[in-house]
Amino acid sequence: MRPRRANSREKILAAAADVAREAGPGSLSLEAVASRAGVSKGGLLYNFPTKAKLMQGLVESYLSDFQKALEARAAEAGHESVLSAYIKLSADDCGRPKPSATWMFSAIAEDPDFLTPIKAFKHQLLERLKAETDDLGSLLVCFLAIEGMRSMNLFDSDVLSEDERKLLVSSLLKIAG
């Protein structure tokens, strides 16, 4: 029985990601997700009791996928630091168009714990990066610049041109060594 629930959960998350990409996360409805996943609304609510929990599940799934991509990228280039892999992966991620994340404000208002997995992921990543460097100042400059770029991208407030973004990334990669 457990594998079936995990499978249902994965199907629901995949459907929610598809619906969010198509209609924007702010327009995500539980009915549309249940229909796309091929489950009843009750089945969806069993796995995700509220829309906020579904959104949190989407965020956790994204963070897990990002972590796997980071590990794969760092493993591909054995000589490359995890920081360099993080800079490149983040730059690639920011280069893809995304729907506006204004829905996040309502998710946070509904459930302040919404940010908990994001905070935990960022904390864990920063601690890992700290353990791999002797130059904390350079690490912090790179980390905060990338987080700023990711935030501007997330909230559709990017003020950098494509050339400026490329310059930022190449500068950060030089700092990262």
Side-chain angles (χ1 to χ4, degrees), residues 102-153:
T102 53
W103 60 271
M104 195 178 291
F105 297 120
S106 61
I108 293 166
E110 189 174 328
D111 182 4
D113 290 334
F114 179 80
L115 291 176
T116 300
I118 298 169
K119 289 177 185 177
F121 177 82
K122 299 291 184 183
H123 179 74
Q124 195 173 44
L125 176 61
L126 182 59
E127 290 304 313
R128 177 180 178 189
L129 294 172
K130 283 177 170 179
E132 296 181 6
T133 187
D134 293 326
D135 187 353
L136 182 59
S138 293
L139 166 63
L140 292 175
V141 167
C142 292
F143 185 78
L144 292 174
I146 286 297
E147 287 303 308
M149 185 174 76
R150 293 178 69 81
S151 293
M152 286 190 312
N153 180 264

XYZ file of all heavy atoms in Angstrom, residues 102-153:
413
model
N 4.395 35.666 -7.504
C 3.612 36.434 -6.544
C 2.695 35.537 -5.720
O 2.309 35.888 -4.610
C 2.772 37.519 -7.251
O 2.012 36.897 -8.286
C 3.662 38.593 -7.849
N 2.368 34.336 -6.245
C 1.578 33.355 -5.494
C 2.256 33.001 -4.182
O 1.593 32.617 -3.230
C 1.381 32.087 -6.322
C 2.693 31.441 -6.693
C 3.440 31.693 -7.806
C 3.421 30.479 -5.930
N 4.598 30.949 -7.779
C 4.609 30.194 -6.638
C 3.199 29.835 -4.716
C 5.568 29.299 -6.187
C 4.151 28.937 -4.259
C 5.319 28.677 -4.987
N 3.600 33.139 -4.144
C 4.337 32.747 -2.952
C 3.929 33.577 -1.740
O 3.889 33.082 -0.622
C 5.841 32.864 -3.193
C 6.654 32.137 -2.148
S 8.415 32.198 -2.442
C 8.591 31.182 -3.873
N 3.605 34.854 -1.971
C 3.203 35.709 -0.862
C 1.938 35.177 -0.196
O 1.842 35.151 1.031
C 3.001 37.155 -1.326
C 4.265 37.791 -1.837
C 4.334 38.264 -3.134
C 5.386 37.913 -1.025
C 5.492 38.848 -3.609
C 6.552 38.493 -1.492
C 6.611 38.958 -2.790
N 0.978 34.737 -0.998
C -0.248 34.214 -0.396
C 0.017 32.869 0.287
O -0.568 32.580 1.335
C -1.371 34.093 -1.421
O -1.005 33.213 -2.451
N 0.915 32.068 -0.272
C 1.244 30.796 0.366
C 1.915 31.037 1.721
O 1.620 30.351 2.696
C 2.156 29.963 -0.536
N 2.792 32.031 1.789
C 3.472 32.361 3.046
C 2.461 32.906 4.057
O 2.508 32.567 5.241
C 4.615 33.367 2.810
C 5.726 32.711 1.983
C 5.172 33.888 4.133
C 6.733 33.692 1.425
N 1.527 33.740 3.589
C 0.512 34.299 4.491
C -0.377 33.196 5.053
O -0.747 33.219 6.226
C -0.327 35.342 3.758
N -0.701 32.211 4.224
C -1.557 31.111 4.659
C -0.817 30.153 5.596
O -1.395 29.624 6.537
C -2.075 30.332 3.441
C -3.125 29.313 3.780
C -3.713 28.664 2.537
O -3.794 29.324 1.492
O -4.087 27.484 2.635
N 0.470 29.957 5.332
C 1.255 29.003 6.122
C 2.684 29.508 6.253
O 3.493 29.305 5.347
C 1.234 27.635 5.441
C 1.993 26.572 6.223
O 2.485 26.862 7.332
O 2.095 25.443 5.706
N 3.012 30.169 7.359
C 4.367 30.711 7.535
C 5.461 29.646 7.456
O 6.604 29.958 7.164
C 4.325 31.346 8.923
C 2.882 31.594 9.195
C 2.138 30.519 8.470
N 5.111 28.388 7.691
C 6.103 27.315 7.590
C 6.446 26.970 6.144
O 7.312 26.130 5.893
C 5.598 26.061 8.302
C 5.556 26.228 9.804
O 6.335 27.050 10.330
O 4.743 25.550 10.454
N 5.787 27.615 5.204
C 6.033 27.388 3.787
C 7.515 27.554 3.449
O 8.059 26.830 2.620
C 5.185 28.365 2.962
C 5.370 28.240 1.487
C 4.731 27.245 0.772
C 6.186 29.117 0.795
C 4.897 27.123 -0.588
C 6.363 29.011 -0.575
C 5.715 28.002 -1.264
N 8.171 28.504 4.096
C 9.573 28.783 3.799
C 10.547 27.825 4.485
O 11.732 27.827 4.168
C 9.922 30.219 4.195
C 9.281 31.311 3.337
C 9.615 32.684 3.889
C 9.732 31.190 1.893
N 10.067 27.009 5.399
C 10.958 26.137 6.173
C 11.849 25.261 5.289
O 13.066 25.227 5.505
C 10.147 25.293 7.173
O 9.468 26.189 8.061
C 11.033 24.358 7.966
N 11.325 24.555 4.288
C 12.227 23.720 3.478
C 13.226 24.557 2.670
O 14.353 24.119 2.451
C 11.295 22.927 2.566
C 9.970 23.580 2.641
C 9.921 24.364 3.914
N 12.819 25.742 2.262
C 13.733 26.609 1.506
C 14.874 27.063 2.411
O 16.049 26.996 2.031
C 12.982 27.817 0.915
C 11.901 27.336 -0.063
C 13.953 28.784 0.232
C 10.931 28.417 -0.496
N 14.527 27.510 3.614
C 15.553 27.941 4.570
C 16.502 26.789 4.901
O 17.719 26.980 4.952
C 14.901 28.456 5.850
C 14.204 29.779 5.698
C 13.541 30.157 7.027
C 12.728 31.408 6.925
N 12.026 31.718 8.196
N 15.950 25.613 5.125
C 16.777 24.452 5.463
C 17.721 24.109 4.314
O 18.907 23.837 4.530
C 15.897 23.259 5.814
N 17.207 24.139 3.097
C 18.030 23.839 1.928
C 19.163 24.854 1.794
O 20.326 24.480 1.594
C 17.161 23.836 0.664
C 17.957 23.613 -0.599
C 18.317 22.333 -0.985
C 18.340 24.690 -1.389
C 19.058 22.125 -2.145
C 19.074 24.484 -2.549
C 19.429 23.201 -2.925
N 18.834 26.127 1.897
C 19.851 27.188 1.749
C 20.897 27.079 2.856
O 22.091 27.237 2.609
C 19.209 28.577 1.783
C 18.217 28.842 0.688
C 18.866 28.955 -0.651
C 17.825 29.315 -1.690
N 18.356 29.368 -3.018
N 20.458 26.822 4.076
C 21.385 26.687 5.199
C 22.334 25.501 4.973
O 23.550 25.626 5.145
C 20.613 26.518 6.509
C 21.489 26.358 7.694
N 22.189 27.405 8.258
C 21.817 25.265 8.416
C 22.903 26.960 9.268
N 22.683 25.657 9.390
N 21.770 24.375 4.587
C 22.558 23.173 4.343
C 23.557 23.405 3.205
O 24.726 23.009 3.308
C 21.600 22.037 3.994
C 22.173 20.664 4.048
C 21.070 19.626 3.851
O 20.208 19.769 2.991
N 21.107 18.583 4.655
N 23.117 24.060 2.143
C 24.002 24.350 1.010
C 25.138 25.277 1.436
O 26.301 25.022 1.128
C 23.203 24.976 -0.138
C 24.020 25.427 -1.347
C 24.743 24.243 -1.994
C 23.103 26.113 -2.359
N 24.812 26.348 2.150
C 25.843 27.286 2.588
C 26.850 26.593 3.502
O 28.063 26.808 3.373
C 25.221 28.504 3.272
C 26.210 29.571 3.736
C 27.032 30.110 2.560
C 25.478 30.705 4.439
N 26.375 25.763 4.418
C 27.302 25.052 5.308
C 28.217 24.122 4.515
O 29.412 24.015 4.803
C 26.534 24.275 6.381
C 25.855 25.162 7.406
C 26.826 26.127 8.104
O 27.901 25.686 8.547
O 26.495 27.329 8.185
N 27.682 23.471 3.509
C 28.506 22.593 2.658
C 29.558 23.405 1.917
O 30.724 23.013 1.838
C 27.622 21.853 1.665
C 28.419 20.991 0.721
C 27.561 20.260 -0.245
N 28.383 19.482 -1.148
C 27.913 18.878 -2.204
N 26.618 18.919 -2.470
N 28.713 18.210 -2.996
N 29.141 24.549 1.364
C 30.085 25.394 0.642
C 31.165 25.939 1.575
O 32.340 26.013 1.202
C 29.344 26.536 -0.056
C 28.384 26.121 -1.176
C 27.561 27.312 -1.652
C 29.136 25.476 -2.333
N 30.778 26.312 2.785
C 31.750 26.803 3.773
C 32.799 25.741 4.089
O 33.975 26.053 4.261
C 31.050 27.201 5.072
C 30.330 28.510 5.040
C 29.664 28.622 6.400
C 29.059 29.882 6.769
N 28.426 29.847 8.084
N 32.359 24.491 4.176
C 33.277 23.405 4.507
C 34.290 23.147 3.397
O 35.328 22.535 3.636
C 32.488 22.124 4.801
N 34.002 23.633 2.192
C 34.868 23.358 1.043
C 35.738 24.540 0.644
O 36.348 24.503 -0.417
C 34.008 22.918 -0.148
C 33.296 21.610 0.111
C 32.470 21.140 -1.065
O 32.518 21.768 -2.138
O 31.769 20.137 -0.894
N 35.800 25.586 1.481
C 36.605 26.747 1.102
C 37.403 27.278 2.283
O 37.002 27.103 3.434
C 35.720 27.875 0.520
O 36.565 28.907 0.019
C 34.795 28.459 1.569
N 38.494 27.921 1.934
C 39.285 28.625 2.941
C 39.016 30.123 2.878
O 39.515 30.874 3.705
C 40.784 28.386 2.704
C 41.170 26.935 2.941
O 40.568 26.302 3.824
O 42.081 26.448 2.242
N 38.278 30.554 1.866
C 38.040 31.979 1.642
C 36.546 32.285 1.837
O 35.778 32.364 0.882
C 38.499 32.362 0.232
C 38.447 33.847 -0.044
O 37.925 34.608 0.812
O 38.901 34.264 -1.122
N 36.174 32.463 3.102
C 34.767 32.693 3.436
C 34.229 33.968 2.788
O 33.094 33.991 2.312
C 34.587 32.748 4.955
C 33.159 32.940 5.460
C 32.249 31.823 4.978
C 33.143 33.042 6.982
N 35.033 35.017 2.729
C 34.578 36.278 2.129
C 34.179 36.105 0.673
O 33.111 36.569 0.255
N 35.026 35.444 -0.109
C 34.704 35.220 -1.523
C 33.471 34.336 -1.672
O 32.630 34.569 -2.545
C 35.893 34.582 -2.247
O 36.968 35.488 -2.301
N 33.369 33.326 -0.818
C 32.188 32.453 -0.847
C 30.921 33.260 -0.601
O 29.931 33.125 -1.335
C 32.303 31.341 0.192
C 31.002 30.580 0.495
C 30.501 29.847 -0.730
C 31.187 29.650 1.663
N 30.935 34.106 0.419
C 29.740 34.882 0.750
C 29.362 35.839 -0.367
O 28.174 36.001 -0.681
C 29.940 35.628 2.071
C 30.029 34.735 3.310
C 30.359 35.574 4.543
C 28.772 33.924 3.518
N 30.353 36.466 -0.999
C 30.068 37.357 -2.136
C 29.379 36.563 -3.248
O 28.352 36.981 -3.786
C 31.358 38.037 -2.644
C 31.138 38.692 -4.001
C 31.862 39.050 -1.631
N 29.943 35.409 -3.590
C 29.360 34.582 -4.660
C 27.968 34.091 -4.294
O 27.027 34.189 -5.096
C 30.272 33.394 -4.962
S 31.844 33.823 -5.730
N 27.831 33.561 -3.089
C 26.557 33.005 -2.656
C 25.463 34.067 -2.661
O 24.371 33.855 -3.198
C 26.708 32.381 -1.258
C 25.484 31.672 -0.767
C 25.160 30.409 -1.228
C 24.641 32.267 0.166
C 24.032 29.746 -0.771
C 23.510 31.612 0.625
C 23.211 30.350 0.155
N 25.762 35.227 -2.077
C 24.740 36.276 -2.000
C 24.433 36.886 -3.366
O 23.279 37.235 -3.642
C 25.142 37.343 -0.990
C 25.137 36.833 0.465
C 25.690 37.896 1.397
C 23.757 36.410 0.897
N 25.418 36.992 -4.235
C 25.159 37.498 -5.592
C 24.239 36.534 -6.348
O 23.286 36.966 -7.014
C 26.472 37.706 -6.342
N 24.515 35.249 -6.241
C 23.656 34.264 -6.918
C 22.258 34.260 -6.316
O 21.251 34.219 -7.033
C 24.295 32.858 -6.879
C 25.465 32.795 -7.863
C 23.283 31.768 -7.187
C 25.073 33.001 -9.329
N 22.166 34.318 -4.995
C 20.847 34.353 -4.361
C 20.088 35.616 -4.769
O 18.870 35.572 -4.966
C 20.977 34.250 -2.845
C 21.355 32.861 -2.370
C 20.389 31.794 -2.836
O 19.166 31.938 -2.635
O 20.853 30.800 -3.422
N 20.782 36.727 -4.911
C 20.134 37.951 -5.390
C 19.622 37.788 -6.813
O 18.500 38.185 -7.135
N 20.444 37.180 -7.671
C 20.033 36.942 -9.054
C 18.824 36.004 -9.086
O 17.865 36.236 -9.828
C 21.195 36.348 -9.856
C 20.892 36.194 -11.334
S 22.318 35.658 -12.298
C 22.384 33.928 -11.860
N 18.850 34.961 -8.258
C 17.729 34.018 -8.222
C 16.459 34.711 -7.718
O 15.370 34.479 -8.237
C 18.072 32.813 -7.344
C 19.178 31.934 -7.919
C 19.525 30.778 -7.001
N 18.438 29.816 -6.954
C 18.210 28.882 -7.880
N 19.006 28.771 -8.910
N 17.198 28.058 -7.757
N 16.591 35.565 -6.704
C 15.424 36.278 -6.163
C 14.839 37.237 -7.185
O 13.612 37.314 -7.342
C 15.808 37.040 -4.890
O 16.121 36.135 -3.866
N 15.705 37.975 -7.884
C 15.193 38.885 -8.918
C 14.461 38.103 -10.002
O 13.414 38.523 -10.482
C 16.329 39.715 -9.529
C 16.842 40.804 -8.624
S 17.974 41.994 -9.399
C 19.128 40.984 -10.266
N 15.003 36.950 -10.370
C 14.361 36.120 -11.376
C 13.026 35.582 -10.872
O 12.015 35.632 -11.568
C 15.304 34.975 -11.762
C 14.723 34.067 -12.805
O 14.149 33.036 -12.480
N 14.866 34.446 -14.050
